[in-house]
Amino acid sequence: MSKENVEVNLEKLSGKVFVGRANGQAARKYFRLNKYSEKDNRILFLVPKDTISVNSSFFLGLFGEDVQRIGDFDKFFEYVDIRFVDDRFKDQLEVAVKRSLSKSSYGI
Amino acid sequence: MGRFVEYDVIPCAGINVKFRKNLDEFYRAHRTPRHLKRLRKRQALLRRKAHFNSQSDSDGLVFKEEFSYAKVIVGADGLPPWSATSRRSKSPCEIKLPKKFSIIDDPQSCLEALQSFRPVFENVRIPGVLINHQSTREHDLASEILLAKVAKNCMELHRSKGRSFVIDGQYPESERLCRLIRSIGIVKELEVEGHTIDGDANEHEKLVIFKRRSSTEDESSVGSMDYKTKATQDFVEHIDCCLQEAGSQLKDTAKQDLAEYVGEIVTNAQEHSGTGHWQIFGYLDKDNEDRVCEVVIFNYGDTIADTFKRLPQEDFARTDLNRYLSQHKEKGILGAEWEADTLTTLFALQGSVSSKNQPTNSTRGHGTVSLIEFFQTISEGNESDLSNRARMCILSGEEHIRFDGKYRLNEDSGRPIIAFNQKNDLRQAPDRKYVRKLNNVAFPGTLIAIQFILPETATEEIEA
């Protein structure tokens, strides 16, 4: 069964900077992301060209629940497709997800 | 006590001047030049008092709150705000600033110098202060901002009590430092006539400071930008604008890095301070060949250690911290050499550590890592050049952590760790030169300051 594509385009929000977990959570509500799941959907994440920054806190506010639920780096990015996102943002978003999933005890 | 209250009733033109509040009516009824002059003077005093006691100033920050925090900085908290019975002093109080007036490099001397304001907060009969910058050889933006804030609050206090208050000062010898003080320091903050750098004639000399503060009505929304988003966006555009005047601009990657840095700190300040208030200051010295840039972001309210101390012992966010502290206690590091607040502040910098993490959502705790990473990126390549080395500090309450590139984040074990020791091992004690507790001085909240030279790799020339 093919998955339904859902577009999450930041163009629909205002501003060139996307910062803050609370703003990310507000955007999650706006895009109704709780309705979707990795079983039935694929999220296409799009960032407008004139964007200055997509901060990791915003991205984790937007998709933190999915990161936590899926619990796997590759599977998460199968669900949230960021291939059309500019490289300068992509690296930071991948690092944020990787760090959220890392489990260690700080050597203590 | 004013002389009018000594009389029960002063009958005059049918007005009973039994209370001070009836004075205005009394003056108006008489209308002699002398009485009208008194009336104007009294009304000006009432306006100043009303401003001092008002809930918010024009910029929206609670003025009284800032005044109370200024008192904490000078060590006058807990004392009565002023005393009319104190002995009158004819000479101003001298505030001698240290050679290194820097929150980043020498917070102890810097905050001790600010504590020299204490007598002026206690006694409104001291006619003013003399701020002596003459010995100062080095300073930073954070120290100048705190000096200006303390002096301004001090002046407001004296004026609200109807006392004149003169702030006099002596510039440092260095021309560059003078320019900074006139552009961004106390002289600018107090708008000292004839000294601030303003106007087209001095445009080439002007060093434009960026400043924003939070709004009390700030809420997250999708349809419009909140204050922290706007401040972050404006700051990046401000730095870009300064560069464009000199024929270059920030690369897109540098904009992203700068916005990540500023945005994460401001978000942390808003979410963890307990007050939700933050302030940001910054500048790029475009006329300096080295393109020196400074950013200061601070919030009053809870310190980093406070936010963790308030959590219940069994809270999810405290699990790793408790293990860390008990290890240091067993080794005898905690207690004898280190205090819990200092080590808590250090631990809070590690990746995935956040007082708001929960078992169901533990994706927080990357903001501080982002700021350290930004610092590491812009300090790369100039580690050997001591004079041009990028520097940063986190000052939270009495705890001070300094960064100069010597100790770096390491992610080999999964989570980003910076332990401030040679082995980057959190089980060992940190370097006391970099992680320390200040002695009898404190900042009532958290302040992050960074001073760096904008690297060539962050900018590109504008094509004609």
Side-chain angles (χ1 to χ4, degrees), chain A residues 12-31 49 51-58 60-61 64-65 67-68 86 88-89 92-93 95-108, chain B residues 220-226 228-229 232-233 236-237 252-253 255-257 259-261 263-264 267 271 320 323-324 327 347 350-353 359-366 369-370 373 411 413-417 425-427:
Chain A
K12 292 181 179 170
L13 314 179
S14 58
K16 294 181 199 169
V17 167
F18 299 95
V19 57
R21 187 169 290 261
N23 287 339
Q25 286 165 340
R28 183 176 178 84
K29 272 188 191 166
Y30 174 78
F31 288 113
K49 275 190 174 173
T51 299
I52 293 174
S53 165
V54 181
N55 280 32
S56 28
S57 61
F58 178 88
L60 290 172
E65 285 182 33
V67 172
Q68 195 86 18
D86 196 292
R88 68 196 154 105
F89 305 129
Q92 202 139 351
L93 304 183
V95 167
V97 173
K98 190 180 148 200
R99 284 179 180 163
S100 296
L101 293 169
S102 68
K103 304 278 181 223
S104 79
S105 53
Y106 308 98
I108 51 176
Chain B
S220 301
S221 66
V222 169
S224 61
M225 279 193 283
D226 59 353
K228 62 176 177 295
T229 304
T232 307
Q233 183 171 314
V236 175
E237 285 173 353
D252 286 345
T253 46
K255 284 183 186 174
Q256 156 81 8
D257 289 345
E260 172 86 13
Y261 175 80
E264 291 301 325
T267 302
E271 290 183 358
D320 288 327
R323 197 182 310 132
Y324 171 71
Q327 273 201 4
F347 193 74
Q350 313 308 318
S352 303
V353 174
T360 50
N361 184 5
S362 58
T363 58
R364 286 176 171 270
H366 306 291
V369 170
S370 293
E373 275 185 331
E411 219 166 335
S413 59
R415 284 174 172 169
I417 290 172
D425 186 347
L426 283 170
R427 288 169 298 189

Side-chain angles (χ1 to χ4, degrees), chain B residues 34-71:
Chain B
R34 194 183 62 170
H35 285 116
L36 287 174
K37 192 179 170 187
R38 281 185 184 170
L39 178 65
R40 281 196 297 274
K41 199 174 168 185
R42 194 175 134 73
Q43 284 178 338
L45 174 62
L46 289 174
R47 272 198 303 275
R48 284 198 296 270
K49 273 188 181 170
H51 171 67
F52 189 76
N53 293 322
S54 65
Q55 287 304 303
S56 61
D57 68 6
S58 57
D59 291 325
L61 182 77
V62 180
F63 177 79
K64 283 178 88 172
E65 185 189 66
E66 185 147 43
F67 175 70
S68 67
Y69 288 123
K71 281 176 69 181

Side-chain angles (χ1 to χ4, degrees), chain B residues 3 58 66 74 78 102 132 161 188 205-206 230 232 261 278 294 308 311 317 343 368-369 381 401 412 420 422 446:
Chain B
R3 62 184 175 177
S58 57
E66 185 147 43
V74 303
S102 167
N132 189 343
K161 303 299 175 194
K188 178 69 183 166
E205 205 188 351
K206 202 166 161 186
K230 199 162 175 359
T232 307
Y261 175 80
W278 47 264
E294 284 200 73
F308 280 92
L311 297 173
L343 295 179
T368 46
V369 170
I401 299 180
D412 291 349
F420 285 91
Q422 290 298 335
T446 299

Side-chain angles (χ1 to χ4, degrees), chain B residues 3-4 10-13 15 17 20 22-44 46:
Chain B
R3 62 184 175 177
F4 280 105
I10 301 172
C12 177
I15 301 162
V17 189
R20 276 174 177 269
N22 294 339
L23 266 177
D24 290 358
E25 222 177 322
F26 173 81
Y27 289 144
R28 275 194 207 100
H30 270 234
R31 298 191 64 81
T32 64
R34 194 183 62 170
H35 285 116
L36 287 174
K37 192 179 170 187
R38 281 185 184 170
L39 178 65
R40 281 196 297 274
K41 199 174 168 185
R42 194 175 134 73
Q43 284 178 338
L46 289 174

Side-chain angles (χ1 to χ4, degrees), chain B residues 20 45 54 109-110 120 125 135 162 254 257 261 376 406 429 442 462:
Chain B
R20 276 174 177 269
L45 174 62
S54 65
S109 305
C110 183
V120 198
R125 302 188 80 177
S135 312
D257 289 345
Y261 175 80
Q376 289 184 174
K406 183 177 177 183
I462 299 172

Side-chain angles (χ1 to χ4, degrees), chain B residues 73-85:
Chain B
I73 294 171
V74 303
D77 55 318
L79 294 166
W82 64 286
S83 169
T85 54

